[in-house]
Amino acid sequence: GPSLHPGFGKVGLHTMKYLHEYGAHCICVGETDGAIYNPRGIDPKELEDYEQGHGTIVGFPKAESYNGSVLEVPCDILIPAAIEKQLTEENAPRVQAKIIAEAANGPTTPAAHEIFLQRNILVIPDVYVNAGGVTVSFFEWLKNLNHVSYGRLSFKYEWESSYHLLQSVQHSLEQWFGKSRGEIPIIPSPQFQARVTGASEKDIVYSGLAYTMEQSAKQIMSVAARYNLGLDQRTAAYLCALEKVFTVYDEAGFTY
């Protein structure tokens, strides 16, 4: 999988966990008090346990300490996950990542952004990458307005729909093969069973978040293609947002 390098605050830790689950290797982690490096990969759970016990990532036994600039480590994905203006005109030419995912707010200066574009490095902009928190806050706000937990209104209906779907499949198969063969019971798999009986509020929020982020990514990429912006996803994201604001103003009759 791809190699990556995040920081290790709340954002960096969870990013590292999720990408590790999807097969990426985290080879370098940089914090304010030091950095660690292991080209074979660092296990996020082991590092989290060590950090909680020692109050620092420095000295983690399964990696060596790293004294160079952590932003310039050769890797596939670089994830600045803490402070702003880390990637500058001065260090941007030396960054060796193929993709920069801006988990922090404003980690790239405008001059560095231009350099990355010239060097064909894909920068996934902060306005998109760290929008997950705001999205879930929006879900929370909706829930508070409605005074109803997610799933309460639709859960039973969806469960019954799944049950009728299985019955329909069974009925179709029996018709196709003829009644002489007897009943053809459709047994839901344990995964399907768990899904129809146990969608927690957390599951619903996670799927809503994933859907929102996927749709947003598609919108940004299609805007980039429409305006021929190449790898400049930041400008595409801003255009996407401005178009939405304009549409609302236009439909409300505020534009003239």
Side-chain angles (χ1 to χ4, degrees):
S3 59
L4 57 125
H5 153 225
F8 204 65
K10 270 270 189 288
V11 176
L13 164 64
H14 288 97
T15 305
M16 182 179 170
K17 274 184 175 172
Y18 284 122
L19 290 173
H20 182 81
E21 280 174 26
Y22 282 95
H25 293 281
C26 178
I27 58 170
C28 182
V29 180
E31 267 293 327
T32 48
D33 56 350
I36 56 172
Y37 177 76
N38 182 346
R40 291 181 303 282
I42 298 164
D43 184 276
K45 184 76 187 90
E46 290 177 5
L47 184 59
E48 182 184 15
D49 292 345
Y50 178 87
E51 200 265 345
Q52 283 178 345
H54 296 78
T56 177
I57 61 169
V58 177
F60 179 64
K62 293 191 177 178
E64 58 199 58
S65 72
Y66 190 82
N67 298 321
S69 167
V70 290
L71 298 171
E72 297 165 24
V73 173
C75 63
D76 295 310
I77 306 168
L78 172 64
I79 304 166
I83 51 175
E84 59 184 29
K85 296 180 185 169
Q86 297 176 69
L87 297 164
T88 62
E89 188 173 17
E90 193 273 319
N91 63 13
R94 297 193 300 276
V95 168
Q96 296 182 67
K98 299 180 184 75
I99 297 171
I100 297 166
E102 296 184 329
N105 285 321
T108 308
T109 65
H113 173 77
E114 291 303 322
I115 292 167
F116 293 140
L117 279 180
Q118 286 160 17
R119 295 185 59 210
N120 277 336
I121 295 171
L122 171 64
V123 178
I124 310 176
D126 53 357
V127 69
Y128 170 74
V129 172
N130 60 40
V134 187
T135 304
V136 174
S137 297
F138 170 66
F139 294 164
E140 233 171 277
W141 178 72
L142 285 180
K143 178 184 161 180
N144 291 340
L145 281 184
N146 294 326
H147 299 288
V148 176
S149 64
Y150 285 112
R152 177 177 290 189
L153 296 180
S154 57
F155 173 72
K156 192 171 187 306
Y157 179 82
E158 285 167 7
W159 184 85
E160 285 173 352
S161 299
S162 301
Y163 178 73
H164 287 305
L165 174 67
L166 292 180
Q167 273 195 319
S168 168
V169 171
Q170 180 173 342
H171 181 67
S172 300
L173 286 173
E174 284 170 359
Q175 275 195 321
W176 178 259
F177 289 110
K179 274 287 185 197
S180 57
R181 304 259 179 124
E183 278 197 3
I184 302 175
I186 302 293
I187 318 280
S189 69
Q191 292 91 334
F192 185 79
Q193 194 77 44
R195 196 166 178 90
V196 291
T197 54
S200 69
E201 198 167 11
K202 184 178 172 184
D203 294 331
I204 293 167
V205 168
Y206 271 29
S207 67
L209 172 62
Y211 178 75
T212 304
M213 296 303 283
E214 282 167 19
Q215 293 301 106
S216 301
K218 285 175 185 166
Q219 285 173 8
I220 293 167
M221 289 189 286
S222 73
V223 167
R226 187 169 6 124
Y227 292 105
N228 201 19
L229 293 168
L231 289 181
D232 191 356
Q233 301 297 303
R234 192 189 311 282
T235 302
Y238 288 153
L239 276 172
C240 211
L242 287 168
E243 280 186 355
K244 287 176 183 176
V245 173
F246 175 77
T247 302
V248 170
Y249 271 54
D250 190 42
E251 287 173 358
F254 291 155
T255 53
Y256 49 85

